[in-house]
Amino acid sequence: MFQNTIISDELSLNKFFKQLNFDLYLTKPQLSHLESIMEAMISKGFNGKVSDIAELAPARHRTSITRFLSNSSWDEKLLERSLKSYIVELIWTRSRETKQPIYFIIDDTISEKTKPSSKAINTIEKCSFHNSHLKGKNVYGHQILVSLLSCDGLVLPYSIDIYDKEAMSKIKLTQNLIATLPRPENKGFVLCDSWYSCKDIFNSSEKAGYSFIGALKTNRVIFPEGHERLGIKLHQFATSLNIEDFDLVTVKDTQYYIYNYVGDLKDRNNVSIILSYPKDAFQKDKALKAFISLDTTLNPLDILTQYTDRWAIEPFFRDCKTYLGLDGYQVRSEKSINRYLIIMLVNYTYCKMYSKDSYHFNTGYKAAKKKLEKSKVIYIYEAAASGTPIEEIFESLKIAC
């Protein structure tokens, strides 16, 4: 916004863009537009309106921001590739230094939109109906697939894609993403919910050099002793066990009864499956949860503890929806939406890095926002000291009469 007033030892957006090599892919005017959009996101809880960007960014008109997102000649795939390389370098360096495993976490969320009327001319592209687990019904909007990379507490975004059911399944899209990952130098795990716990993802994970830990639907069939020929569903098998067959363990300050089955799953041999009940809900309806690990050498408590790292994606969704417009973006063309989502990932990463050693989004977001507020005050002070007419200052700040 006011680049000349940024304190030199802070991570300015210009410095961050150079770290990402964005100056190789964007012209100076395009970098200026990108900076304006990111500063508008940081300046207040952003709801995704282009008009907000124009209002908050000096010398930026709404139509110029719209053109930058929809028609400007830059390749968002190059920015995405550069961001991925930056993230991979940070995570793999962390793994080398700490000897800790790398986690690839994937999940999806819905950005709900208002269903257009039959007379609407300019509808938001790629919207359709999707099942919302939160609302328990189908809702209209975009289903967005997100992946994160995590190591030793450092969690950073890797990819964001609009799911298009007519083009590719979520399973195939996930397989493609896993295939882009470098092999982990120590251990690596793919962490997913039950939707992604399937043969294709198991095989893709192993091919890429990763093991797999995920939730598992309780209607999956296993083949324990006495059920070798036809098998038995997990929820049926769980009810055949006694409480003495379970161990009481503590995971993240909560106690669970767990049972470890090591054997064959339908479509997959030799896996470790954990059956789990909360301590106060043993064998109660819908209380059973199941988890799977392809690595049978892990003890059950390690499997459950490592699976909890998957929940890092929930704060990501919350922060992006609250502060960066993931729920409220109003750009309409597919190209504009994809560009907006990539910029959102860049901004999320910037806030993480701005927090310095904590790598905490909210810390970085608040610090970056305070920096912008200080920059605005310094600009006013320096402009007044240099004799700039007050009307010119008002016009620059877009508060002229």
Side-chain angles (χ1 to χ4, degrees):
M1 187 181 292
F2 305 107
Q3 296 94 327
N4 61 320
T5 66
I6 302 297
I7 300 172
S8 60
D9 63 350
E10 293 179 332
L11 180 61
S12 68
L13 284 171
N14 282 334
K15 287 181 181 178
F16 188 58
F17 292 160
K18 288 181 180 179
Q19 290 179 6
L20 294 170
N21 294 318
F22 280 5
D23 53 327
L24 299 178
Y25 311 122
L26 298 173
T27 64
K28 287 185 177 180
Q30 289 170 340
L31 284 169
S32 181
H33 281 306
L34 177 60
E35 187 172 2
S36 294
I37 293 172
M38 290 178 62
E39 287 181 347
M41 287 179 172
I42 293 170
S43 293
K44 68 176 186 178
F46 188 58
N47 61 11
K49 291 183 179 179
V50 172
S51 57
D52 282 351
I53 300 171
E55 176 186 343
L56 293 165
R60 293 286 177 269
H61 192 272
R62 175 175 179 171
T63 55
S64 66
I65 297 296
T66 301
R67 283 197 300 271
F68 173 73
L69 290 173
S70 60
N71 300 320
S72 183
S73 57
W74 57 282
D75 188 345
E76 63 275 9
K77 290 296 182 183
L78 293 176
L79 268 62
E80 180 185 26
R81 189 184 308 162
S82 184
L83 178 63
K84 284 182 176 179
S85 296
Y86 177 81
I87 298 302
V88 164
E89 178 61 29
L90 288 173
I91 295 294
W92 263 249
T93 298
R94 184 80 157 213
S95 183
R96 282 194 297 270
E97 292 173 348
T98 64
K99 308 302 181 185
Q100 294 299 307
I102 290 169
Y103 298 102
F104 180 71
I105 307 165
I106 194 157
D107 203 355
D108 53 81
T109 188
I110 294 176
S111 178
E112 191 171 352
K113 305 298 176 188
T114 302
K115 188 177 184 301
S117 70
S118 58
K119 297 181 180 180
I121 299 175
N122 297 315
T123 59
I124 299 177
E125 295 182 359
K126 295 299 177 180
C127 279
S128 59
F129 283 96
H130 303 278
N131 180 50
S132 170
H133 298 294
L134 292 176
K135 293 190 173 182
K137 63 178 182 179
N138 285 341
V139 299
Y140 185 78
H142 291 134
Q143 190 168 41
I144 297 174
L145 191 71
V146 170
S147 68
L148 309 179
L149 283 169
S150 170
C151 180
D152 191 44
L154 176 58
V155 183
L156 295 169
Y158 181 72
S159 68
I160 188 164
D161 295 278
I162 298 174
Y163 168 53
D164 182 356
K165 63 182 72 176
E166 295 182 0
M168 186 183 300
S169 71
K170 281 193 290 185
I171 298 301
K172 182 61 178 176
L173 179 55
T174 301
Q175 288 181 276
N176 290 346
L177 287 170
I178 293 171
T180 67
L181 296 172
R183 297 183 76 86
E185 296 185 13
N186 298 299
K187 286 187 175 182
F189 294 90
V190 174
L191 303 181
C192 300
D193 69 10
S194 60
W195 177 270
Y196 302 91
S197 294
C198 66
K199 180 180 178 180
D200 288 339
I201 301 299
F202 297 159
N203 292 342
S204 293
S205 300
E206 290 183 321
K207 185 177 180 180
Y210 293 76
S211 190
F212 180 95
I213 295 176
L216 196 65
K217 293 180 180 179
T218 59
N219 63 354
R220 297 292 292 271
V221 175
I222 58 174
F223 300 87
E225 185 178 352
H227 300 275
E228 292 89 348
R229 191 169 71 87
L230 297 177
I232 184 173
K233 292 182 178 180
L234 285 170
H235 65 84
Q236 294 172 334
F237 178 66
T239 59
S240 72
L241 301 172
N242 299 316
I243 196 168
E244 292 81 11
D245 298 317
F246 287 75
D247 294 318
L248 186 62
V249 300
T250 301
V251 182
K252 302 290 185 180
D253 300 323
T254 303
Q255 290 188 301
Y256 299 91
Y257 284 110
I258 66 169
Y259 176 89
N260 186 203
Y261 162 80
V262 177
D264 294 344
L265 175 73
K266 190 173 183 180
D267 296 331
R268 177 75 194 200
N269 295 332
N270 195 32
V271 297
S272 181
I273 295 175
I274 311 300
L275 301 179
S276 171
Y277 288 104
K279 180 183 177 182
D280 298 329
F282 181 75
Q283 289 190 338
K284 289 186 178 179
D285 288 345
K286 300 182 179 180
L288 176 66
K289 301 294 182 185
F291 306 91
I292 183 172
S293 170
L294 302 187
D295 185 350
T296 58
T297 66
L298 292 175
N299 69 57
L301 190 56
D302 281 345
I303 293 172
L304 294 179
T305 301
Q306 293 193 72
Y307 178 77
T308 61
D309 284 348
R310 192 190 78 80
W311 295 111
I313 205 164
E314 298 302 329
F316 171 85
F317 288 143
R318 181 196 63 219
D319 291 335
C320 288
K321 289 184 177 185
T322 302
Y323 299 105
L324 302 179
L326 179 57
D327 252 354
Y329 59 85
Q330 296 185 3
V331 288
R332 297 183 178 278
S333 71
E334 182 180 3
K335 179 184 283 292
S336 297
I337 296 165
N338 286 331
R339 286 178 165 183
Y340 180 85
L341 293 176
I342 293 301
I343 293 171
M344 186 193 73
L345 282 200
V346 173
N347 214 352
Y348 183 89
T349 305
Y350 172 70
C351 289
K352 282 259 185 169
M353 303 312 297
Y354 197 85
S355 69
K356 298 181 179 178
D357 293 338
S358 74
Y359 297 112
H360 192 275
F361 171 81
N362 282 297
T363 301
Y365 175 84
K366 290 175 182 177
K369 182 177 181 179
K370 187 174 292 185
K371 178 202 71 175
L372 289 176
E373 293 170 349
K374 288 180 179 178
S375 297
K376 189 173 183 179
V377 173
I378 294 172
Y379 164 76
I380 295 170
Y381 174 82
E382 292 181 345
S386 65
T388 303
I390 190 67
E391 292 80 8
E392 188 175 323
I393 296 174
F394 286 159
E395 184 177 353
S396 177
L397 298 175
K398 295 195 173 183
I399 54 175
C401 296

